Amino acid sequence: MLTSADEAVCDSPKVKLFPLKSAQSAQSADKITTALGRVTRLGLRILLPVLCVGALAACDANRRDAAPGPPNGRSQGTLPEVGDLAEIVAETRAILPRIPAHARPVALPPAGQGSAPRRVLIGEGRLLRPSAFPRLPHKLVVEVYLDRRSPPGGYLSITDVRTAGAKWPLLSGDTKGDRDGAFTYAFRVSDPARRLRYFVLLAVPYEAGGRAFRAFEGYLIHPTRDGALSAQGAIYPIDFGYRQPEPPEPVLAAKALAGRIAELQGQYAAWQALARRLEEHETSAARLREARVPADQAAKQRKDLQEFARRIARIEGERRSAAEAMRGGLLSIYRERTALSATWAAFVNSNGYRWRTPAQRRAAYLPLRTLRASYPRLEEMFTAGEGERSPALAAAREQMEQAVLREEAHVPPAGG
């Protein structure tokens, strides 16, 4: 069922809504393959249904069998064109492979959704076969704004060589899959001239090289001049990030740094134990030196004092080495924590962060926040190890402190 906004767009004489036949679809695939025959195929046509586009293709049956959606057009399965969109996206993905061929699909646990329309993705689109569409811009910057509904509402903000931030409203949509796993969102969109366009957004979790990643792919599809949905129409594949690590880099780095801080605390405990042993040996040696012994025990006293001196020298050497290692560990931790702030700031400006809900953003920052509990112990180690006597160590500590202060500007707010 179309919404009133859909109907307004469909009433335009510039748009005809109905899809091409399967024979036309096959011909379209052949033409695209011929036009871009040098592009290497990586077998994604096989991987595609497993990952999530099969769910989109399955909607082809829904458009014949499913009951019409409610008047607002926002329940699942409201786009009769969704099967044709699936074919076009599959054809396009087959000649523009992005995910490694050896990638293994994975599922991620579900999480909460956002509350209000917000910017969730930014990407760059490039026009396929630009010579066939000389009047269209070759590149677009596409910003996706979605709300919490399912299917979500919102709009695309599109910038090209002619316009900046033009708003393209989402009219109605169809969603399949898990927002925080593999999903396919398909939307009707109205361009500024009130012509009907389509936008398909895919998320594909996968594993490669022992790491988990997530790809966000977009496809902005123009119907052909006669209004048919075909791979022969103008298509903009949009790169929203094909290699978003999950968990993100700052989360992994913060957890790894927490482990190294724990190791350094163990070194500090060992250094303190050496200090206690040194004090005990010095006290015992002083007592022995002051003790009055019979003349026949004087030689043994001297021998025992020499043994104490050897032990004290050995412990002092071990303690100096432990202090040097501790200072080296502190230097490394200060530098890593400084780098972690930069990694977090970069993540905040990524689609992996934008896509997350406010609660998920706070959860991602939690490993960095947890590190703060260790700062008093690090300061204790710095003082005990006479860190001020090392210009490099003192400078690294200052840089870390400044980086953590700057990081406050990128901390997710508690309430939003």
Side-chain angles (χ1 to χ4, degrees):
M1 178 179 292
L2 302 184
T3 66
S4 58
D6 290 338
E7 292 168 347
V9 173
C10 296
D11 286 342
S12 168
K14 300 174 184 176
V15 177
K16 293 183 182 177
L17 269 185
F18 282 90
L20 73 166
K21 297 179 181 178
S22 58
Q24 289 175 302
S25 178
Q27 292 170 4
S28 300
D30 292 340
K31 290 177 182 178
I32 289 184
T33 304
T34 301
L36 298 174
R38 294 186 179 180
V39 181
T40 304
R41 294 176 182 268
L42 294 183
L44 281 177
R45 189 179 293 278
I46 296 173
L47 184 63
L48 190 63
V50 180
L51 295 174
C52 76
V53 180
L56 178 59
C59 295
D60 191 30
N62 291 348
R63 64 178 178 167
R64 295 189 300 268
D65 302 330
N72 65 12
R74 297 202 180 278
S75 64
Q76 294 187 353
T78 60
L79 293 188
E81 306 91 339
V82 73
D84 301 284
L85 292 172
E87 293 178 8
I88 294 170
V89 170
E91 291 168 5
T92 306
R93 289 181 97 240
I95 60 172
L96 294 173
R98 298 292 186 178
I99 299 173
H102 60 281
R104 183 168 65 87
V106 298
L108 298 176
Q113 297 181 347
S115 58
R118 60 187 179 89
R119 187 173 62 175
V120 294
L121 296 171
I122 301 175
E124 183 176 280
R126 291 181 177 271
L127 178 63
L128 290 183
R129 298 177 292 117
S131 61
F133 306 98
R135 296 184 179 180
L136 292 180
H138 292 184
K139 291 193 294 186
L140 304 173
V141 174
V142 180
E143 301 178 37
V144 183
Y145 289 77
L146 299 180
D147 61 27
R148 64 180 299 178
R149 289 172 288 182
S150 181
Y155 60 92
L156 307 180
S157 176
I158 295 184
T159 299
D160 57 35
V161 294
R162 303 166 189 164
T163 59
K167 186 178 288 189
W168 294 32
L170 305 181
L171 304 177
S172 59
D174 186 286
T175 63
K176 295 294 178 184
D178 177 4
R179 183 191 183 282
D180 295 293
F183 68 73
T184 304
Y185 291 177
F187 299 99
R188 286 189 177 114
V189 184
S190 173
D191 75 3
R194 296 178 60 79
R195 293 168 298 198
L196 186 64
R197 302 293 184 241
Y198 293 90
F199 175 64
V200 179
L201 177 64
L202 309 180
V204 184
Y206 65 94
E207 289 181 356
R211 291 285 308 276
F213 296 93
R214 198 174 192 210
F216 289 103
E217 306 178 23
Y219 299 88
L220 185 61
I221 300 167
H222 294 205
T224 60
R225 288 186 178 181
D226 63 359
L229 266 176
S230 164
Q232 291 304 299
I235 301 173
Y236 289 90
I238 305 164
D239 178 2
F240 290 117
Y242 292 96
R243 197 174 177 84
Q244 300 282 347
E246 291 291 344
E249 293 293 349
V251 171
L252 294 177
K255 290 180 177 180
L257 183 55
R260 282 188 280 277
I261 290 174
E263 291 174 4
L264 185 61
Q265 288 177 334
Q267 293 177 23
Y268 179 47
W271 179 85
Q272 290 176 309
L274 285 170
R276 288 191 295 271
R277 284 179 58 199
L278 179 63
E279 183 180 1
E280 290 168 0
H281 278 64
E282 288 176 336
T283 300
S284 297
R287 287 175 181 170
L288 180 59
R289 191 178 301 110
E290 295 169 0
R292 293 179 178 274
V293 297
D296 62 345
Q297 296 293 318
K300 185 177 185 307
Q301 184 187 41
R302 288 192 298 272
K303 184 177 180 181
D304 289 345
L305 286 170
Q306 290 170 354
E307 178 61 24
F308 270 121
R310 283 193 294 270
R311 291 180 182 178
I312 289 170
R314 184 178 69 250
I315 294 170
E316 284 180 333
E318 291 175 359
R319 187 167 175 263
R320 283 193 299 271
S321 296
E324 188 63 30
M326 186 171 65
R327 287 191 290 269
L330 270 175
L331 181 64
S332 176
I333 284 169
Y334 289 153
R335 288 173 174 172
E336 286 184 47
R337 185 61 184 88
T338 300
L340 177 56
S341 287
T343 302
W344 176 259
F347 174 59
V348 166
N349 289 309
S350 75
N351 282 335
Y353 182 84
R354 292 185 190 100
W355 184 258
R356 280 170 161 76
T357 65
Q360 290 169 333
R361 293 175 181 182
R362 292 191 293 273
Y365 187 70
L366 183 60
L368 282 76
R369 186 180 296 281
T370 302
L371 290 173
R372 298 184 183 190
S374 64
Y375 295 167
R377 182 55 64 91
L378 293 178
E379 189 65 15
E380 183 181 332
M381 287 185 243
F382 179 86
T383 302
E386 299 180 326
E388 290 290 355
R389 297 176 61 181
S390 169
L393 186 57
R397 182 183 68 160
E398 175 66 20
Q399 290 167 2
M400 183 203 77
E401 290 173 349
Q402 293 301 317
V404 172
L405 286 174
R406 290 192 299 272
E407 186 179 288
E408 290 295 326
H410 305 294
V411 173

